[in-house]
């Protein structure tokens, strides 16, 4: 079929998914840097606990950055790769000079909530396009991150 890509998806659907995945990639990159900053700069009596937990989060986020970029490539498109583009495309804003543990945790909670919303949108588009690969990937992310949101809310009381 001439209007399909190499993995058999309609090119118009693949293009729409790649656009939304690039937005997701931008959000992951900004969120990753925020969490990395929280890890470096957190202070207070919960330092050891939070420093370790933030490292766990940013390590996972970095893995997902690579997976999202590779999915865009699999769809036959190019992942954005300039930080200036990430800043423009991301719904998650840069979070600077945050040191208080509770504020850091709230920033992480809000970041995951933003990712989940965007990933649900991508899941819907992928399902409509019969793109099981993208749907499975973002579905797994949603499941993991919903649990993390629950835990962060419990932590904040």
């Amino acid at each position: 079929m001439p209007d399909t890509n190499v993995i058999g998806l309609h090119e118009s659907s693949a293009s729409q998914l790649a656009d939304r995945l690039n937005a997701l990639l931008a959000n992951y990159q900004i969120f990753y840097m925020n969490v990395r900053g929280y890890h470096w700069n957190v202070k207070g009596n919960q330092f050891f606990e939070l420093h370790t937990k933030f490292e766990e989060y940013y390590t996972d986020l970095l893995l997902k950055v690579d997976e999202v970029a590779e999915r865009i490539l699999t769809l036959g498109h190019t992942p954005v790769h300039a930080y200036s583009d990430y800043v423009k495309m991301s719904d998650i804003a840069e979070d600077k000079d945050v040191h208080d543990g509770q504020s850091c945790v709230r920033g992480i909670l809000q970041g995951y909530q933003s990712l989940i919303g965007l990933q649900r949108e991508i899941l819907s588009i992928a399902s409509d396009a019969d793109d099981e690969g993208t749907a499975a990937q973002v579905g797994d992310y949603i499941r993991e991150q919903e649990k993390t949101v629950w835990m962060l809310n419990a932590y904040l009381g």
Side-chain angles (χ1 to χ4, degrees):
M1 288 191 250
D3 66 336
T4 59
N5 64 11
V6 295
I7 61 171
L9 295 177
H10 289 282
E11 183 49 47
S12 61
S13 297
S15 180
Q16 181 184 18
L17 281 161
D19 287 345
R20 297 314 296 146
L21 286 167
N22 266 315
L24 183 62
L25 179 61
N27 279 274
Y28 267 108
Q29 287 282 38
I30 299 297
F31 187 41
Y32 164 79
M33 286 307 301
N34 285 349
V35 177
R36 193 79 193 233
Y38 301 149
H39 168 78
W40 289 332
N41 296 308
V42 68
K43 292 178 177 31
N45 61 358
Q46 297 169 321
F47 169 82
F48 291 107
E49 170 188 358
L50 293 177
H51 184 76
T52 300
K53 182 52 83 174
F54 296 165
E55 182 175 7
E56 177 186 318
Y57 289 152
Y58 78 68
T59 300
D60 180 65
L61 291 168
L62 188 57
L63 174 66
K64 286 176 172 56
V65 162
D66 193 54
E67 291 172 347
V68 170
E70 288 178 352
R71 186 64 194 168
I72 294 165
L73 289 163
T74 300
L75 292 170
H77 292 266
T78 304
V80 291
H81 57 276
Y83 203 77
S84 58
D85 289 334
Y86 298 145
V87 171
K88 286 186 246 178
M89 295 173 67
S90 180
D91 294 323
I92 297 173
E94 292 177 309
D95 203 3
K96 299 176 184 177
D97 301 319
V98 179
H99 305 283
D100 171 68
Q102 295 291 313
S103 297
C104 293
V105 171
R106 278 191 295 278
I108 292 172
L109 175 61
Q110 291 166 355
Y112 278 123
Q113 289 169 326
S114 290
L115 290 176
I116 289 169
L118 180 52
Q119 289 165 160
R120 284 186 178 136
E121 177 189 335
I122 293 167
L123 179 62
S124 177
I125 296 167
S127 295
D128 290 345
D130 293 325
D131 179 1
E132 178 61 30
T134 301
Q137 182 176 346
V138 297
D140 287 347
Y141 293 175
I142 291 167
R143 179 187 43 78
E144 291 171 20
Q145 293 164 4
E146 285 175 340
K147 183 174 181 180
T148 301
V149 164
W150 161 68
M151 294 175 137
L152 292 167
N153 270 316
Y155 182 86
L156 291 171

